[in-house]
Amino acid sequence: MSSFSETLFGVIENRISPVAGRLSSQRHVIAIRDGFIASMPFLIVGSFMLLFAHPPFAANSQWAFAQWWLGMADRYAEQIMMPYNMTMGIMALYIASAIAYNLAQGYKMNGFMAASLSLMAFLVVAAPQTNKGLPVMSLGGEGIFTAIMVALFSTELMHFLQKHNIGFKLPEQVPPKIRQSFDLLIPIIAIFLTLFPLSLWIQHQFHMLLPQAIMSIFAPIISASDSLPAILIAVLLCHLLWFAGIHGAVIVGGILQAFWLTNLGINQQDLTAGQPVTHVFIEPFWQFFIVIGGSGSTMGLVLLYLRSRSAHLRTIGKLSIIPGMFNINEPVIFGSPVVMNPLLFIPFICAPLVNATIAYTATRTELVNHVISLAPWTTPAPIGAAWSTGWDFRAIILVAVLVGISTLIYYPFFRMYERQLLQQERETLTAAESA
């Protein structure tokens, strides 16, 4: 066991950690991650309105409140859905702008100009004018991958032109704001000479827009990402990085955001169309079912710490319980410590893997609803789980069961660690009394 753990820690430290470290500091990865984060407030508000439009009651419910809500949702459906249509319904617009802005900031360029160029480029390929109107079907979940590519391309194009000093040069006497606006002339022309012909060619050859063509390419990957093996691999990689001291949730979550939002967009389209909701792997599923209390599903460990005989662990438990309720577990991760602690390695990896398997099975078998809405990641897990599943209160029961199972997984390893610390505390006390 000792030889195995040393080999495993060596692989994590020498092979995985350096690659993850370089990936987490890569300019484009940071821009994509921060772009999704910047778009989240719009998406959360839009998701929330979707819940109002689809009350969690049967049409024949006799409860007066349910009848009132159902009637209001039916009578004012168009008005209630307006915030959803202006946020989630066109989320790719926010993502394209935010990613370009953050990448331009990384290059020390004008972020607003880059965001505007990216927005125009995305509209050119995703919503070409038809019958004096802009089609919006590719501005939601279907356009996410296109938004990422267009944002990176347009900003890199802008950076290339600026780096090689290609553009209109106005005299210094011209006010700076006017000179900055003219800096976009060449990039705009370059977009119409590159992306626009590409979009026309795809429409002519395949009778679809660029986002639809890209989605058809990504469809097998998106489908695979929604499978249990893919979820387990993502959970395992995230926690191996965490154990090596690298914030695995940021790296893995940043990569998975595009898949999570695409799956969420498909679920919401199916819900509004009255079709069965089928996709499982969406951010709230990760946040409120897999990593309850934070990475490692440490809520169970914190509950054990609260009743520990070790003064150190009991103190960490008291300090960690409130942050843990809001899915912030740095106090217990670094205070125990859990990171690089061989005694807690197995439960730290296994608890979220077991949670993922149980929650995936429960969702697939309809024991709980699928995720149809986003909730802030700091929402306490029982509330966040019910919120994101359309106020399915069976999700609260599932969270309670998962916390109980995580506690059982941590328990034997907690006892070994507690015994070790108690011995150290006794030796420290004896040394102090002898001094």
Side-chain angles (χ1 to χ4, degrees), residues 3-281:
S3 175
F4 172 76
S5 62
E6 289 177 4
T7 303
L8 181 60
F9 293 156
V11 171
I12 295 172
E13 187 175 7
N14 299 321
R15 300 296 178 85
I16 298 177
S17 295
V19 175
R22 285 195 292 273
L23 184 64
S24 64
S25 59
Q26 208 280 330
R27 180 181 287 117
H28 300 84
V29 173
I30 292 174
I32 294 172
R33 182 198 66 196
D34 292 347
F36 279 117
I37 292 173
S39 306
M40 277 299 154
F42 302 97
L43 311 186
I44 289 173
V45 171
S47 294
F48 193 72
M49 296 308 296
L50 187 68
L51 298 181
F52 278 108
H54 295 274
F57 307 108
N60 58 356
S61 173
Q62 299 302 312
W63 191 22
F65 176 73
Q67 283 299 320
W68 171 80
W69 190 348
L70 288 164
M72 187 185 68
D74 182 57
R75 193 176 310 118
Y76 300 107
E78 189 173 338
Q79 291 83 351
I80 295 173
M81 286 295 285
M82 180 60 75
Y84 168 81
N85 292 329
M86 293 298 103
T87 51
M88 282 295 301
I90 55 173
M91 61 178 160
L93 292 179
Y94 302 104
I95 292 169
S97 304
I99 292 176
Y101 177 88
N102 284 287
L103 182 57
Q105 292 281 297
Y107 281 127
K108 310 296 182 190
M109 297 193 307
N110 189 316
F112 177 76
M113 292 296 182
S116 301
L117 181 67
S118 175
L119 183 60
M120 184 213 74
F122 179 68
L123 287 172
V124 166
V125 300
Q129 185 178 12
T130 306
N131 298 326
K132 298 182 179 181
L134 295 181
V136 298
M137 70 280 283
S138 297
L139 303 185
E142 186 179 81
I144 290 176
F145 288 99
T146 307
I148 296 172
M149 294 178 184
V150 167
L152 298 180
F153 173 76
S154 60
T155 309
E156 285 296 336
L157 177 65
M158 189 175 166
H159 177 245
F160 175 84
L161 295 173
Q162 285 194 11
K163 183 179 178 181
H164 293 84
N165 208 24
I166 301 173
F168 289 103
K169 302 301 172 192
L170 298 181
E172 289 298 322
Q173 293 81 357
V174 176
K177 291 296 181 186
I178 296 178
R179 276 192 281 124
Q180 287 178 10
S181 68
F182 274 77
D183 287 343
L184 269 189
L185 280 176
I186 297 299
I188 291 172
I189 294 171
I191 289 294
F192 277 104
L193 291 176
T194 52
L195 291 184
F196 186 46
L198 173 64
S199 177
L200 290 177
W201 181 77
I202 289 176
Q203 290 177 54
H204 178 72
Q205 288 292 326
F206 304 104
H207 305 289
M208 60 176 68
L209 297 175
L210 182 61
Q212 295 163 351
I214 290 176
M215 278 298 288
S216 65
I217 296 172
F218 275 91
I221 302 174
I222 294 170
S223 178
S225 74
D226 201 40
S227 64
L228 181 59
I231 295 172
L232 295 180
I233 291 172
V235 172
L236 179 63
L237 178 59
C238 170
H239 288 81
L240 286 176
L241 293 174
W242 252 121
F243 203 75
I246 297 174
H247 202 307
V250 170
I251 298 172
V252 176
I255 296 170
L256 292 175
Q257 276 291 349
F259 295 97
W260 284 342
L261 285 178
T262 301
N263 287 338
L264 177 64
I266 294 171
N267 276 3
Q268 292 183 341
Q269 285 178 359
D270 290 340
L271 180 68
T272 54
Q275 299 295 321
V277 175
T278 55
H279 289 265
V280 175
F281 197 33

